[in-house]
Amino acid sequence: MKNNQTQTLLNMVHTLLLEKAKDEVITAEVITQQVALMQSTLSMAGMIQADVVDTEYVTEDLIRKFSISIGNETSISDDTNHHPWLDQERKQGRRYWERYKKLIQGDLPWSAVDSIDLSTDEVLSKLEDPKRDGTWDRRGMVVGHVQSGKTANYTGLICKAADAGYKIIIVLAGIHNNLRAQTQIRLDEGFLGFETSPNHGSKAPIGVGLIDQDIRLQPQFATHRLETGDFNGDFAKQLGVTPEERPWLFVVKKNVSVLKGLLEWIQDHVATQKDSEDKTKNKVTHLPLLIIDDEADNASVDTGETVTREDGSIDTEHDPKPINKLIRKILHSFSRKAYVGYTATPFANIFIHEQGETETEGPDLFPSAFITNLSAPSNYVGPSRMFGYLTFEGREGALPLTRKVDDHCSDDHKDGWMPPNHKSDHFPKHESREGFPQSLRESVDSFVLGCVVRHLRGHGRKHNSMLIHVSRFTKVQNLVHEKVNAYIEHLRQVFDRKTGSYDDIVKRLELLWNTDFVPTAEKIEGYRITDKSKNGRLKLIGEIQWQEIVEALPDTIKEIKVKSINGTAGDILDYKDSTGAKVIAVGGDKLARGLTLEGLTCSYFLRASKMYDTLMQMGRWFGYREGYLDLCRLHTTPDLIQWFEHIADSAQELRDEFDAMASCGGTPKDFGLKVQAHPDLLITSPLKMRSAQDLNMSFNGTICETTSLFRDPVRIADNFRAFESLTESLGTPVPAIERVRGNKIKQFKGAFWENASWVNIVDFLKKYKTTPESFKVRSDVMADYITTMAEKHRELTTWTVAVVNGSVKDKIWSASDSVDIAYNVRRKKEINENTYSIGRLISPEHEALDFDGDAWSAALKWTVNNWEKRTDKKKSPNAPEQPSGIFIRKVRGLGEGLDNIKGTPEKGLLIIYLMDPASADAELQNDCDPVVGIGISFPDSKKSQPVKYRVNNTLWKSKYEIN
């Protein structure tokens, strides 16, 4: 039990451990020892009574909090015209921040609180000093993780900004009323300190207002927590803003009428001087503005026509889309302003033209000043943890919580209960008693069992939610809601009366328990279920008797409610006035972004969009699952699992590139160009990329390898003929090469050609065909890219070609009379009708096989330098002994800054693996030609130029399934 004396002991030991953590690792043993020592010391001093203090609670809470680690944020910035200002003196007396810090210390691990403190200081320092006179404009972006606590972070930033002197704070909170109200409630608790309402005189203290109740500290508010509490003119007429008063908070939707009303109010009631450039407009010169744009990639980005003219110059008369236009006009109304966009999916924002500007709206929202990348805590369940990561041995590290759904539609995906491309008038039919597929019934049953287990673990007062997202159409959602609600009602009646199908349902649930829940819990090695509100460890699944489940089922099912959450439904997700809510939420877009599903346990997800940002935001199952991770389930299709795996890999690749760029002084503009050149991460809405018909692809600084391969023997034979045509054109190969690797000599065996002409490589790539499933590696586009770089920039003109020797000694290809190449083996991951996929193709050491000793050492040095700066949970305990691919490609192309190594962007590397078809795919005959896999390590280049891949809008929509 936690009391004041227990809290005193907890605080004292925590302070001591924070100091010790500077010099040593804090283990459970260290914590236990320090609790005992401090308890003895405080008891002797008469500060606590030993028999009153709950040392078990203190020890368990500290172990939990110190077991969670968070890496440092990384930033890239452009400090042109920026004046550094945030020193220790300016950090003194920050009352808004101090009370918020005390508030979140009760809910978050101290490592998370410290991380918020450090990262918000980093962001605030990159804004301008609000006390600086003159005209200034800082625009940046903070990239977090889906469901990782971005609201807590920007609430901390708002508190510190208010302490520093920002007077007008506008939070752009999504496009729906419920999300805006949810954000207002969070800011009521974390910044304002009272419940906002239409009645300006009623201010019941909550959150930080209970910590520091000085009414002189209370900020002013212009919006309130009801769903009708958005900014409106009538309410605004009561407001008066002067620089002597406390800061004002506006929490508004990204809605044209709302933003227009806010702009007019600012112009009419806040602005004090005429704009020097436009005398018809007023300018706010006396109040510094901070805009926080939550989900900055949603609605804020200008999706209008191109902002440049045919000659590449900026079109200053371009007419932006309404929401983008209004946000920019609000910014343009202030002479001193800062804009910070928060998002987990920054792809659309990076596509904003870095020089975009119009006469009446001012600059576009490109984060020209800075981009800050937040690290996720070690207890965060994100894409990489959910879906694993790609390695040379295949996919590893995925949590065993995903279940494949393949009974929702016909084999051709055109008919059935919920085909991917159904229309708004679709009627979901199914022959089962429930009227929906067995996979959905199993998902609902898993949710029911999860609720029971949480009850048995003492979580009865905590919320539990399930997400069902199968259609974007409200009518279809409501039909699914009816069927699921009927099923829950059926369960309720059966368990209440214990008649009819009671025995059959109990047996079915018991089978699910024994075949799914028990083995899944066993697979999550080292999973430690603890809860800060309880003493000791919670019940593991293996410690729960089935009869306990059966006895708890009736009461649990009675509490489950099924709700439609969409634009027309009367149901809303309102957790604040209830305890232990058990909700099955059936919905679409309103559930897809920003809206928090408390205690999300099960997800049934069929939404077919393959847009990177859309899919990531729909992933409401990402986040924190303290005390119930082993109960979580994601039911989705094999295609979407593959896409999420691909997104996880590409997003991690982008973050790694960001960290590498931060270590060598990159700017937001540099990073923007990198993202725009990335052949995968271009995939956001085509409107946000300014063109619905052009896919610009560049391979600058990338590793491209074929991980999707043909099963058709004819296609395999065609690619093998292309390979043989290449090797014949290159002449006699060298059977081995030796390279200096540190203090050793490394020998690579195979067939090698150096100084091959780019013409030979392009000819091969035009003959060699990649599969339609190849997201990143398109042989025809790579051929065009190499041609462009060679002809226009004299880069990629000379190539090393390597055919790597494998391990299948009884299957060989003769490169010459004296050179035989054994086939390679790669573990298959998925088999489709015409193709199969593998993990990594290229062995990591092969990407640098053309490097001499100096270049290899330079890449390793850069890799080690980057490793030393990392503090995140993925940092290995030992320094790298091999250079990473990112730095291999940087040295290959740029070579700057390390040991006077000169880059060689004129050189490329093509690695070829001949793979045993029988070992990769058992259905391929032994007499089939080898499967030819290729990989290219493209150098990082300052002259990289994307090549345009033309597609029509119909093809684009079909390929990426845009509705």
Side-chain angles (χ1 to χ4, degrees):
M1 185 177 85
K2 185 168 120 178
N3 51 41
N4 289 337
Q5 293 190 36
T6 299
Q7 187 64 51
T8 298
L9 176 62
L10 182 63
N11 293 340
M12 297 287 284
V13 179
H14 170 248
T15 301
L16 177 66
L17 290 173
L18 286 178
E19 285 299 314
K20 292 180 72 66
K22 296 176 181 178
D23 302 312
E24 63 180 283
V25 176
I26 304 300
T27 64
E29 183 179 4
V30 170
I31 292 172
T32 302
Q33 292 173 350
Q34 293 303 317
V35 170
L37 287 172
M38 185 61 71
Q39 181 197 29
S40 175
T41 301
L42 296 179
S43 295
M44 291 178 63
M47 296 177 64
I48 63 173
Q49 295 175 262
D51 58 342
V52 173
V53 173
D54 190 341
T55 56
E56 185 179 2
Y57 171 85
V58 172
T59 303
E60 195 65 38
D61 194 55
L62 289 170
I63 289 174
R64 181 184 68 84
K65 289 178 175 178
F66 274 91
S67 67
I68 296 172
S69 60
I70 304 176
N72 293 337
E73 76 289 333
T74 53
S75 295
I76 53 179
S77 61
D78 184 345
D79 291 335
T80 304
N81 297 323
H82 174 57
H83 295 182
W85 63 281
L86 190 61
D87 54 23
Q88 284 303 122
E89 184 178 352
R90 290 298 299 274
K91 293 180 183 180
Q92 301 303 312
R94 300 202 290 194
R95 294 179 66 185
Y96 288 120
W97 162 248
E98 288 302 326
R99 65 179 192 167
Y100 179 63
K101 183 179 179 180
K102 290 180 181 178
L103 176 70
I104 59 178
Q105 279 176 340
D107 296 321
L108 298 177
W110 276 304
S111 57
V113 177
D114 292 341
S115 176
I116 291 174
D117 191 4
L118 291 172
S119 62
T120 49
D121 268 357
E122 171 75 10
V123 173
L124 184 65
S125 71
K126 295 187 180 304
L127 304 182
E128 212 57 59
D129 182 355
K131 297 181 180 180
R132 176 184 165 186
D133 293 330
T135 299
W136 44 261
D137 185 351
R138 296 286 286 177
R139 307 193 183 198
M141 182 168 66
V142 177
V143 181
H145 301 258
V146 176
Q147 296 284 286
S148 67
K150 294 189 298 297
T151 305
N153 191 282
Y154 70 66
T155 301
L157 177 61
I158 288 170
C159 290
K160 289 182 176 180
D163 284 319
Y166 279 91
K167 293 298 183 181
I168 304 291
I169 300 171
I170 299 173
V171 179
L172 305 174
I175 60 175
H176 298 296
N177 283 325
N178 56 354
L179 180 55
R180 191 216 67 83
Q182 176 181 283
T183 304
Q184 178 80 57
I185 291 170
R186 293 283 300 275
L187 289 169
D188 284 1
E189 296 170 349
F191 177 52
L192 295 178
F194 52 85
E195 289 189 356
T196 53
S197 68
N199 180 4
H200 232 76
S202 176
K203 295 183 179 180
I206 58 172
V208 294
L210 298 173
I211 296 172
D212 188 338
Q213 300 187 28
D214 186 348
I215 60 172
R216 294 172 298 176
L217 196 64
Q218 289 183 350
Q220 304 289 353
F221 68 99
T223 53
H224 60 78
R225 62 171 42 206
L226 301 183
E227 290 214 3
T228 57
D230 210 338
F231 184 86
N232 67 78
D234 292 338
F235 187 74
K237 290 178 182 177
Q238 308 172 33
L239 308 180
V241 180
T242 66
E244 291 77 28
E245 296 205 21
R246 291 155 282 175
W248 282 85
L249 176 67
F250 301 74
V251 183
V252 300
K253 289 195 309 295
K254 299 179 195 180
N255 173 276
V256 172
S257 62
V258 171
L259 293 175
K260 186 179 292 185
L262 178 57
L263 175 64
E264 291 174 353
W265 179 77
I266 290 171
Q267 287 284 333
D268 295 341
H269 298 282
V270 186
T272 57
Q273 294 185 10
K274 293 294 182 182
D275 192 320
S276 60
E277 298 176 358
D278 184 353
K279 299 301 182 181
T280 65
K281 299 292 183 182
N282 294 328
K283 201 85 167 181
V284 183
T285 59
H286 61 303
L287 300 175
L289 166 72
L290 171 63
I291 289 184
I292 301 292
D293 190 350
D294 193 9
E295 308 293 353
D297 61 310
N298 188 30
S300 301
V301 178
D302 180 16
T303 58
E305 296 298 322
T306 179
V307 300
T308 58
R309 302 185 179 96
E310 291 185 6
D311 62 0
S313 62
I314 299 299
D315 181 5
T316 57
E317 296 180 355
H318 162 70
D319 187 24
K321 290 296 183 179
I323 291 178
N324 174 269
K325 175 189 291 189
L326 289 165
I327 294 173
R328 289 163 62 183
K329 280 189 172 182
I330 291 172
L331 283 163
H332 204 47
S333 299
F334 288 76
S335 61
R336 298 180 293 161
K337 65 261 190 173
Y339 167 92
V340 183
Y342 274 77
T343 181
T345 50
F347 313 128
N349 305 78
I350 297 301
F351 287 111
I352 300 171
H353 199 291
E354 72 277 4
Q355 294 179 332
E357 186 170 356
T358 52
E359 292 180 356
T360 57
E361 290 82 20
D364 206 342
L365 301 179
F366 181 79
S368 55
F370 66 90
I371 303 174
T372 295
N373 190 8
L374 300 179
S375 294
S378 57
N379 64 333
Y380 171 72
V381 180
S384 295
R385 194 172 180 199
M386 192 74 182
F387 299 101
Y389 48 91
L390 195 60
T391 70
F392 185 61
E393 295 298 323
R395 195 154 208 93
E396 297 180 358
L399 289 169
L401 305 177
T402 303
R403 304 292 179 266
K404 293 182 179 179
V405 174
D406 55 12
D407 59 355
H408 63 294
C409 64
S410 58
D411 291 339
D412 61 4
H413 288 196
K414 294 181 179 179
D415 200 1
W417 180 71
M418 199 65 65
N421 294 316
H422 60 269
K423 305 298 182 183
S424 60
D425 59 353
H426 173 68
F427 188 87
K429 294 181 180 179
H430 200 271
E431 66 276 4
S432 66
R433 181 209 172 282
E434 295 83 14
F436 49 74
Q438 180 178 332
S439 59
L440 179 53
R441 186 186 69 184
E442 180 180 314
S443 187
V444 175
D445 289 348
S446 295
F447 176 67
V448 172
L449 291 175
C451 290
V452 172
V453 174
R454 295 205 71 193
H455 166 73
L456 295 175
R457 286 178 175 169
H459 290 178
R461 296 180 63 81
K462 296 188 177 182
H463 303 308
N464 295 272
S465 301
M466 176 180 179
L467 162 68
I468 299 178
H469 191 161
V470 297
S471 174
R472 68 188 181 96
F473 300 113
T474 299
K475 180 180 177 182
V476 180
Q477 295 166 20
N478 290 338
L479 291 171
V480 173
H481 167 267
E482 289 178 11
K483 294 296 184 181
V484 174
N485 191 54
Y487 176 62
I488 292 296
E489 183 59 33
H490 173 66
L491 291 181
R492 189 176 290 119
Q493 293 178 5
V494 167
F495 277 88
D496 189 45
R497 301 171 184 172
K498 293 184 173 57
T499 58
S501 55
Y502 173 79
D503 291 337
D504 292 336
I505 293 176
V506 170
K507 288 180 180 178
R508 189 181 76 225
L509 293 175
E510 185 177 13
L511 180 64
L512 179 62
W513 176 261
N514 290 326
T515 59
D516 188 337
F517 278 73
V518 173
T520 297
E522 292 173 351
K523 290 177 184 176
I524 304 180
E525 296 181 6
Y527 181 65
R528 200 165 170 275
I529 303 174
T530 58
D531 176 45
K532 65 184 178 183
S533 66
K534 304 292 292 184
N535 291 330
R537 184 176 56 77
L538 302 181
K539 269 191 174 182
L540 298 175
I541 281 180
E543 299 168 340
I544 297 175
Q545 301 299 315
W546 175 246
Q547 189 56 37
E548 294 180 84
I549 301 287
V550 174
E551 292 173 359
L553 275 168
D555 289 339
T556 298
I557 295 172
K558 287 179 183 178
E559 296 177 348
I560 294 175
K561 295 182 179 180
V562 185
K563 295 189 175 186
S564 284
I565 309 298
N566 49 49
T568 61
D571 284 336
I572 60 171
L573 278 176
D574 188 358
Y575 297 100
K576 64 180 182 294
D577 294 327
S578 62
T579 57
K582 299 174 178 62
V583 177
I584 298 176
V586 183
D589 291 341
K590 290 191 78 171
L591 290 175
R593 181 184 283 270
L595 192 65
T596 299
L597 295 168
E598 300 284 352
L600 181 62
T601 309
C602 288
S603 299
Y604 190 85
F605 184 79
L606 303 181
R607 182 66 180 269
S609 171
K610 287 181 180 176
M611 294 299 95
Y612 275 65
D613 42 11
T614 303
L615 268 183
M616 286 291 282
Q617 290 292 349
M618 286 178 175
R620 296 291 94 189
W621 50 84
F622 301 133
Y624 305 97
R625 301 290 180 265
E626 187 175 19
Y628 64 100
L629 178 61
D630 56 341
L631 308 178
C632 295
R633 297 293 183 272
L634 167 61
H635 290 77
T636 191
T637 67
D639 282 349
L640 284 174
I641 291 173
Q642 187 176 4
W643 268 86
F644 270 112
E645 290 174 348
H646 180 61
I647 291 169
D649 295 336
S650 297
Q652 185 59 48
E653 180 184 340
L654 186 64
R655 285 182 181 273
D656 290 343
E657 182 64 47
F658 184 94
D659 290 342
M661 192 171 290
S663 71
C664 56
T667 67
K669 179 181 178 181
D670 297 329
F671 187 60
L673 295 174
K674 187 70 180 180
V675 174
Q676 293 176 40
H678 196 293
D680 286 346
L681 296 179
L682 284 172
I683 304 171
T684 181
S685 166
L687 291 176
K688 294 177 184 177
M689 293 192 292
R690 309 290 191 191
S691 171
Q693 294 184 334
D694 296 337
L695 178 60
N696 292 314
M697 297 184 72
S698 169
F699 301 95
N700 179 39
T702 65
I703 180 72
C704 294
E705 52 188 322
T706 49
T707 57
S708 174
L709 301 157
F710 287 113
R711 297 178 64 208
D712 180 6
V714 175
R715 292 294 190 99
I716 292 173
D718 288 343
N719 279 345
F720 184 63
R721 281 195 293 271
F723 161 75
E724 289 196 309
S725 177
L726 170 66
T727 58
E728 289 172 6
S729 71
L730 297 178
T732 304
V734 176
I737 54 176
E738 292 184 345
R739 297 287 187 251
V740 176
R741 295 295 181 253
N743 297 323
K744 300 178 180 178
I745 301 294
K746 172 73 175 180
Q747 185 180 68
F748 296 94
K749 294 182 178 181
F752 304 92
W753 295 263
E754 295 187 287
N755 300 317
S757 170
W758 67 273
V759 176
N760 298 93
I761 307 302
V762 167
D763 181 64
F764 165 66
L765 290 174
K766 288 183 175 179
K767 293 175 181 176
Y768 180 91
K769 303 300 179 185
T770 48
T771 70
E773 288 80 13
S774 294
F775 303 114
K776 176 176 179 178
V777 185
R778 294 187 57 92
S779 54
D780 56 340
V781 183
M782 287 193 295
D784 291 341
Y785 177 75
I786 294 169
T787 300
T788 299
M789 296 302 293
E791 291 182 342
K792 292 189 176 183
H793 306 294
R794 302 308 300 164
E795 294 189 354
L796 297 176
T797 55
T798 306
W799 286 72
T800 297
V801 179
V803 182
V804 180
N805 198 35
S807 59
V808 185
K809 302 303 181 183
D810 59 338
K811 294 182 180 181
I812 62 171
W813 168 75
S814 295
S816 67
D817 292 340
S818 60
V819 181
D820 291 332
I821 304 297
Y823 289 6
N824 287 267
V825 175
R826 291 293 183 270
R827 184 184 302 173
K828 62 181 178 291
K829 186 179 68 171
E830 294 281 350
I831 293 182
N832 302 311
E833 183 178 356
N834 300 312
T835 63
Y836 70 96
S837 62
I838 60 175
R840 291 292 309 270
L841 172 72
I842 298 178
S843 175
E845 65 176 354
H846 290 162
E847 191 177 352
L849 58 77
D850 60 331
F851 273 23
D852 62 21
D854 289 341
W856 185 88
S857 296
L860 177 59
K861 182 177 180 179
W862 208 339
T863 302
V864 172
N865 288 345
N866 189 62
W867 171 84
E868 289 174 344
K869 294 177 181 179
R870 294 182 65 171
T871 58
D872 60 289
K873 61 179 179 178
K874 291 184 178 180
K875 179 177 177 178
S876 60
N878 301 316
E881 297 180 353
Q882 295 282 339
S884 74
I886 286 177
F887 296 112
I888 288 172
R889 297 186 288 277
K890 287 189 178 299
V891 170
R892 186 185 299 284
L894 305 176
E896 21 179 67
L898 284 172
D899 303 327
N900 298 316
I901 299 297
K902 183 181 179 182
T904 55
E906 71 278 5
K907 292 184 178 181
L909 173 65
L910 169 62
I911 312 172
I912 299 175
Y913 296 85
L914 301 179
M915 288 177 289
D916 180 6
S919 64
D921 183 352
E923 294 188 19
L924 295 176
Q925 300 298 317
N926 284 330
D927 58 356
C928 178
D929 289 316
V931 177
V932 179
I934 66 171
I936 298 180
S937 178
F938 285 102
D940 221 325
S941 169
K942 292 183 177 180
K943 298 179 181 179
S944 176
Q945 183 171 340
V947 291
K948 190 167 290 186
Y949 172 49
R950 300 283 294 181
V951 296
N952 61 44
N953 204 42
T954 302
L955 175 60
W956 188 299
K957 288 184 177 181
S958 172
K959 182 172 178 60
Y960 299 119
E961 299 182 27
I962 306 171
N963 292 310

